[in-house]
Amino acid sequence: MMLEDTETRRDQNIRWLCGHPGDALLFLSPEKTPGSGGKAILAAWDINLAKLYASQTGVMIASYNDFDRKPVKAIAAVAQKLGVPLGSKIEIPSVTPYPVFLDYVGELTDFDILCRENGAALEMRRLRAIKDEEEIIITKKAAGITNELIDSLEKNVKSGKIKTEADAALFIEVESRRQGCEGTSFGTLAAGPDRSFAIHAFPGWTVAPFGTQGLSILDFGVKLGGYCTDVTLTFVRDLDPKQEKLVNLVEKAAKLAVSMAHNGTRTKDIAAAVDALFSKSKKKMPHGLGHGVGLQEHEYPLIRNSSENEWVLEPGMIFTIEPGLYDPLLGGCRLENDILITETGHEILTTARIIRL
Amino acid sequence: MMLEDTETRRDQNIRWLCGHPGDALLFLSPEKTPGSGGKAILAAWDINLAKLYASQTGVMIASYNDFDRKPVKAIAAVAQKLGVPLGSKIEIPSVTPYPVFLDYVGELTDFDILCRENGAALEMRRLRAIKDEEEIIITKKAAGITNELIDSLEKNVKSGKIKTEADAALFIEVESRRQGCEGTSFGTLAAGPDRSFAIHAFPGWTVAPFGTQGLSILDFGVKLGGYCTDVTLTFVRDLDPKQEKLVNLVEKAAKLAVSMAHNGTRTKDIAAAVDALFSKSKKKMPHGLGHGVGLQEHEYPLIRNSSENEWVLEPGMIFTIEPGLYDPLLGGCRLENDILITETGHEILTTARIIRL
């Protein structure tokens, strides 16, 4: 099996498996005899980084440049080095573009090239959806930092120290690193009252006012040892009755959804309950209710009201619940927290809230 | 033809064609009779943003949610709306994963689904590689802002106001927005002497010292009205002779490469000349020599020493020249500027340099 992390197709599975942060191919071969252990070769673009991050996991490190940074060439060479028998199945990433897949099949005629949705990618998605003890510990640490940031953001918006979208975004950039984070989980979205109507404001932040009259959305997360948080606060000030109604509805939806989060629940039932609540007030949420968080800011399970969504909550899953409503005139409101499913119920890891100014 | 911009497969062609920043499908149908004009439908996830950014280009705007955010469903509905005859060719993005391509073919049996490297994607790549007058004007403005930042960065590192990687990165974040930019072109890479050995430092920046003894790399760009710059400075202080040699070699390579940049030159010849120069000193550059810049920080032409690289410079092309050398003990040095090819030669748009402290 080959995994690929490249500029246009990122794959955190490589980091998950061997610690290397990216721009690399990772080859895994199965055990020849049970218990013998499979083999792993990391072909990294930056071999200096690979030695720093991946060498302790026992993976063999090669230079991707030695294969001219060509996956086909690397597959052929690695297959030979590992003694993979001709005719063996070699799985490539499920996201491989169709024309690239044709190249692989055309050039690697000695092997059976597999590219499928329901193969290794799906298996890793399922494995990663349930966090192990170590992953839960680091995510809780990241959540703790996130919660301190939330308190400081509230204090600084209230005191007038944070006046613009840029003030809020830069505060998060600086403070997250100061607390030892790798950085933010994604580009912070800070949208003051004039821009909060968008689900994902564009650009993510500007020098526009933040926390002034109306609805201001702040969507951010921190990344600690690779693990992400993802929260959204809405700061509100001097609302008119229609805005007040929007905010109350989002708060109610968040409460309802979180109350339903426990072992065995189908995630589509949670999302359907929120859709039904909004629908009673003739409102419609233009995005899914939530998603897993982990090494990526968006992973599994999905929390979405669609017939194909078959995810059922299990202990160890960590995901967001993030109801939101948006109106071109009133502005937008979203409330997002990260939830951990436990044997007996759930833990709400983050303390995002509606902040009334 | 359908274009898709989604979280895992970004496509700036949609912005290039209709102004909408992303998370959307764009459908283009050809003219029925010459001169009649084709039709364009934008199915946007965020319809409020689409109205703001794309309505003035005359594209019809639809809600992607009305198709349950499913490309297959959207294609079928749009084909019907536009009266596309059964059996017509419909081109989908060349980056469509193989399993997704199979779904399209299986579900859209009334049409001939094309997914190819040498189709519309290649044509748009070629068109976008040569900037028009308006694109050159905005890129020059972005370069002007970049150059002011370079001067301020030099001043502030020299005065001690910028002491850490974080100081440098945050200065760029703030000042770029203050000058009216959308933001940075990519996550700034600020690597002090302890981390500059990596081609792309990981994480991009930390609170570690910057500009202290040795080699510090600063790779950044700004994005103005969608258009990117991309430059790399190396700050050097109290070098030992081996480090001095590394820096001089990189400076020499940059000078050589830029001197070769004019209309009609094969880009692989420029990259080969730099490789040969490094090779004489028994050094090897672990990355390509450069790449186009525009709506993406990495686009075309490629400036790379490989047999498949067939790019030839033409007036209107804007690209980086960025020789670099990296050593786990000495640290790294890279020097990157943005070059515009003109009828008579070239213009160096940016003023990145080795800054001796």
Side-chain angles (χ1 to χ4, degrees), chain B residues 150-286:
Chain B
I150 291 171
D151 291 345
S152 305
L153 285 159
E154 172 165 4
K155 205 177 88 187
N156 289 335
V157 172
K158 283 183 170 166
S159 74
K161 206 177 141 191
I162 290 177
K163 284 192 177 64
T164 66
E165 297 169 355
D167 291 342
L170 292 169
F171 179 83
I172 293 163
E173 292 290 335
V174 180
E175 286 307 313
S176 57
R177 265 91 174 179
R178 204 169 277 168
Q179 304 286 335
C181 295
E182 265 170 48
T184 53
S185 308
F186 51 89
T188 295
L189 299 168
D194 290 345
R195 310 197 313 127
S196 66
F197 64 82
I199 309 168
H200 281 176
F202 177 82
W205 49 275
T206 70
V207 290
F210 185 88
T212 44
Q213 192 192 340
L215 304 166
S216 297
I217 286 181
L218 182 60
D219 187 346
F220 78 97
V222 305
K223 195 165 197 165
L224 183 73
Y227 284 82
C228 298
T229 61
D230 183 2
V231 296
T232 307
L233 318 169
T234 303
F235 291 78
V236 310
R237 189 191 292 268
D238 301 336
L239 300 187
D240 69 26
K242 281 184 178 171
Q243 290 172 319
E244 195 67 62
K245 199 180 154 194
L246 200 81
V247 170
N248 290 338
L249 206 51
V250 168
E251 266 186 312
K252 204 169 159 185
K255 213 168 164 178
L256 170 66
V258 171
S259 77
M260 293 176 71
H262 45 70
N263 188 5
T265 308
R266 298 194 309 176
T267 69
K268 71 174 140 199
D269 293 340
I270 306 178
V274 166
D275 283 352
L277 175 74
F278 285 154
S279 181
K280 270 197 282 181
S281 297
K282 299 201 166 68
K283 302 279 182 197
K284 200 167 162 29
M285 179 166 67

Side-chain angles (χ1 to χ4, degrees), chain B residues 14-233:
Chain B
I14 292 183
R15 186 170 188 185
W16 181 62
L17 287 162
C18 77
H20 185 63
D23 288 311
L25 305 180
L26 178 64
F27 294 90
L28 301 176
S29 75
E31 300 181 323
K32 283 197 173 149
T33 55
S36 66
K39 284 195 177 139
I41 297 182
L42 178 71
W45 181 48
D46 190 324
I47 198 156
N48 295 328
L49 271 188
K51 284 175 185 161
L52 193 63
Y53 284 94
S55 54
Q56 68 277 20
T57 59
V59 68
M60 284 181 276
I61 295 171
S63 167
Y64 194 12
N65 281 326
D66 290 348
F67 311 115
D68 301 332
R69 275 185 274 162
K70 293 199 173 78
V72 167
K73 207 167 167 183
I75 293 173
V78 167
Q80 193 171 20
K81 187 177 167 65
L82 294 177
V84 176
L86 299 190
S88 296
K89 289 181 166 54
I90 298 182
E91 181 153 14
I92 61 170
S94 64
V95 295
T96 304
Y98 172 60
V100 176
F101 171 75
L102 293 184
D103 288 346
Y104 285 6
V105 171
E107 297 198 35
L108 296 163
T109 48
D110 286 343
F111 301 99
D112 181 10
I113 303 297
L114 298 183
C115 176
R116 46 188 187 168
E117 278 295 8
N118 58 351
L122 180 63
E123 187 58 23
M124 287 190 282
R125 189 180 287 178
R126 283 189 186 135
L127 287 169
R128 281 177 51 191
I130 297 173
K131 270 63 182 176
D132 65 23
E133 210 175 322
E134 212 177 326
E135 289 176 304
I136 291 171
I137 289 171
I138 190 125
T139 305
K140 283 187 173 177
K141 274 189 198 155
I145 294 170
T146 307
N147 295 340
E148 279 180 46
L149 284 177
I150 291 171
D151 291 345
S152 305
L153 285 159
E154 172 165 4
K155 205 177 88 187
N156 289 335
V157 172
K158 283 183 170 166
S159 74
K161 206 177 141 191
I162 290 177
K163 284 192 177 64
T164 66
E165 297 169 355
D167 291 342
L170 292 169
F171 179 83
I172 293 163
E173 292 290 335
V174 180
E175 286 307 313
S176 57
R177 265 91 174 179
R178 204 169 277 168
Q179 304 286 335
C181 295
E182 265 170 48
T184 53
S185 308
F186 51 89
T188 295
L189 299 168
D194 290 345
R195 310 197 313 127
S196 66
F197 64 82
I199 309 168
H200 281 176
F202 177 82
W205 49 275
T206 70
V207 290
F210 185 88
T212 44
Q213 192 192 340
L215 304 166
S216 297
I217 286 181
L218 182 60
D219 187 346
F220 78 97
V222 305
K223 195 165 197 165
L224 183 73
Y227 284 82
C228 298
T229 61
D230 183 2
V231 296
T232 307
L233 318 169

